[in-house]
Amino acid sequence: MIAVNPEGKIMVRRCLVTLRPFRLFVLGIGFFSLCFLMTSLGGQLSTRRPGDSPFTIRTEVLGGPESRGVLRKMSDLLELMVKRMDALARLENGSEPHRAAGDGHLAVDRFPPGAGLMERIQAIAQNVSDIAVKVDQILHHSLLLHSKVSEGRRDQCEAPSDPKFPDCSGKVEWMRARWTSDPCYAFFGVDGTECSFLIYLSEVEWFCPPLPWRNQTAARTAPKPLPKVQAVFRSNLSHLLELMGSGKESLIFMKKRTKRLTAQWALAAQRLAQKLGSVWRDQKQILVHIGFLTEESGDVFSPRVLKGGPLGEMVQWADILATLYILGHGLRITVSLKELQSNLGVPPGRGNCPLTMPLPFDLIYTDYHGLQQMKQHMGLSFKKYRCRIRVIDTFGTEPAYNHEEYATLHGYRTNWGYWNLNPKQFMTMFPHTPDNSFMGFVSEELNETEKQLIRGGKASNVAVVYGKEASIWKLQGKEKFLGILSKYMEIHGTVYYESQRPPEVPAFVKNHGLLPQPEFQQLLRKAKARFSPPHSSLNHEFFRGKPTSRELFSQHPYAESFIGKPHVWTIDYNNSEEFEAAIKAIMKTQVDPYLPYEYSCEGMLERIHAYIQHQDFCAAPGPAPPGARAPQSPFVLAANATHLEWAQNASSAPGAWPPAHSLRAWLATAGRACTDACLDRGLICEPSFFPFLNSRDAFQKLQVPCDSTESEMSHLYPAFAQPGRECFLQKDPLLFSCAGSSTKYHRLCPCRDFRKGQVALCQDCL
């Protein structure tokens, strides 16, 4: 049955008809012709709404003349059929009467008994003609109504010329040409009209001003923030293990590690709670998306994780999850792209539109893979919410590599950098550079009984060389010093191989292959010495392309600088005599096992608690406009005239963390990075203090003669160039960097103190 309802919708319903095959064929022609008619009206069908018939045509679609032309062609086609089938129709005139199939509204349902095929075809043709007339009337009425509406709102649906929204007209032009490129636009109501473009660009995105005739209350009302809730320490980790899920070997490993450390975590939480006392801690809603475990990123770790490695990433992520949960925060964990999209509120489509709702998370912890996935699927919301993201970054990302424009212009662009985040949003495994935040991980603590067992188990003099990939053993000269070591100690290795022993590993090395973590830890506890020869981006392919330029003069700068002898010995393995003397000294040395506080459960809880409560990258001020006068620095020259200190009568900078009164500023020697200049004085470089020093006044108080002062983009500024007596200020805050040096510049360096065993925090940072 075919009917036209008062709202201008053409409806088609199939009725139960019993016909002979030939008649079914003829009626089939009519039926499918009508279907063709409906798909031809206007050249396209608008999106079907819930509840619509599958054969509903909306009269708001354009293209009325084309639709009427299709109807006329169908009518002519049916008339031609009448002429060509006249003879067959005569034969059918004597056929049995046709029984009516219902009380439909059209003549096709009301054929009189004995009507011939000719009359039936003529009736169909007449029906099509009648439909053409009615469609013509409907479209004429619709176009007339559309014309009146458009005329009434023509001035309201044109891209406004508003200096506060300079990109509006350009975005409207883009929408005209590309709005069908992503289904997400239609999801938000874009239908190709000017009004829909402006509504989308003003209410979903923010390129155009609000339309005055729209309901601004409904369009602009933001959800009220939830009342603050105090975070409470947790000691039972059962729910965390449920949140972590299952099915992946990596998750199984992480859960086993968390279970094994449950008692240590509980004790650490108790100690930290006592230390903090009644300090209020805001409970945060946190999303943890482990991007490298998603299928889309390849998940290359899971198949090998139960065989022993590489395990560093899983160890760190397991400890991060435990830390966030024990600190009492709301936690959501995802390891698939589908879960990520669901939790973020990603609209259907290709990722060009913003999220469908305000981001329900205060913080997001992810990795580089997850960061890329979020950028691809969050649209403009990524830029809006990226200040809430924390990136777990094993090697660290220096500011010169993070700044997209600067990295591109100056040769620092790699596959891992150029995200334009605050460098402190990158959280590292070791404190490589203070430009990033030190996340770390936990090393298992030993009780007194275990310490005694370790002391007794070292009589056999065992050395463990840490290098799981065969390629790490290829560096020239390595076999020579391993040969010297083998004269005094039994050497063990854990190099991965499938079937045959790697030829790069010397024959005198007892290779265990990849060991499960508990077995590897037992091997380390028997060792008198551990070696992992130094590499850098300059001499090893593994480091090439990493977003850092640091030069590793030792295998582990952190252990060398903050632990040292007798637990850590730094040796030039190219000097055979020095190396052999050091081995003899180590064999005679008896030391107790030592664990830095920052790598204990309590140390990690303390550090991450401070980050969560004090780091706020969403409130960070933007760069000062060129030529703006910087406020005078609240510093005084120290009594010995070597550095600047925060003046006692100066007020503390509101919101500054670390507290500004811990700042000490030095002018480094030429060619010295601020990281090293601060360490030389037993301090840590603090990049968040650079804005206080980025003024001519700071140079003057240090009695630096500035014949000229320029403001430019460079990761080495602020700095002083001796030959021309030029002072350079930093133009872009994202480039403030503790790392980096040049023999041309004396860098102006902000330093601070630090807590014993916790280099990430200053004395007053808690």
Side-chain angles (χ1 to χ4, degrees), residues 465 472-487 491 501-509 533 535 573-574 576 579:
V465 178
I472 297 177
W473 296 67
K474 291 180 181 179
L475 193 64
Q476 289 184 351
K478 192 175 297 182
E479 187 169 357
K480 179 180 178 181
F481 86 83
L482 289 177
I484 296 173
L485 178 63
S486 67
K487 295 192 302 183
I491 303 178
R501 178 188 176 96
E504 297 86 353
V505 181
F508 53 75
V509 175
H535 302 298
Y573 69 85
N574 291 313
S576 300
F579 181 75

Side-chain angles (χ1 to χ4, degrees), residues 381-393:
S381 295
F382 179 80
K383 183 177 181 180
K384 180 178 181 180
Y385 294 120
R386 64 183 177 183
C387 60
R388 304 187 190 184
I389 298 174
R390 307 293 183 265
V391 184
I392 307 305
D393 178 9

Side-chain angles (χ1 to χ4, degrees), residues 471-582:
S471 60
I472 297 177
W473 296 67
K474 291 180 181 179
L475 193 64
Q476 289 184 351
K478 192 175 297 182
E479 187 169 357
K480 179 180 178 181
F481 86 83
L482 289 177
I484 296 173
L485 178 63
S486 67
K487 295 192 302 183
Y488 300 94
M489 295 184 178
E490 181 181 280
I491 303 178
H492 294 249
T494 58
V495 185
Y496 174 79
Y497 64 95
E498 292 288 348
S499 55
Q500 295 182 347
R501 178 188 176 96
E504 297 86 353
V505 181
F508 53 75
V509 175
K510 185 177 181 180
N511 185 33
H512 299 265
L514 290 182
L515 290 176
Q517 191 183 35
E519 296 179 27
F520 181 64
Q521 289 175 340
Q522 289 297 324
L523 178 62
L524 290 179
R525 289 169 183 173
K526 297 176 182 178
K528 191 81 173 181
R530 304 171 196 176
F531 293 87
S532 185
H535 302 298
S536 71
S537 59
L538 302 177
N539 63 13
H540 201 278
E541 186 65 29
F542 179 73
F543 289 90
R544 191 164 291 118
K546 300 296 188 297
T548 173
S549 298
R550 66 177 179 272
E551 296 178 344
L552 304 181
F553 294 100
S554 69
Q555 184 269 334
H556 209 304
Y558 166 80
E560 177 187 9
S561 301
F562 296 102
I563 301 177
K565 293 181 179 179
H567 302 281
V568 176
W569 294 61
T570 303
I571 307 168
D572 180 4
Y573 69 85
N574 291 313
N575 187 325
S576 300
E577 293 181 359
E578 177 186 345
F579 181 75
E580 192 162 3

Side-chain angles (χ1 to χ4, degrees), residues 68-81:
R68 293 191 291 274
V70 171
L71 288 168
R72 293 191 190 99
K73 289 180 181 179
M74 290 181 61
S75 181
D76 294 342
L77 177 62
L78 289 170
E79 290 181 7
L80 180 62
M81 289 172 58

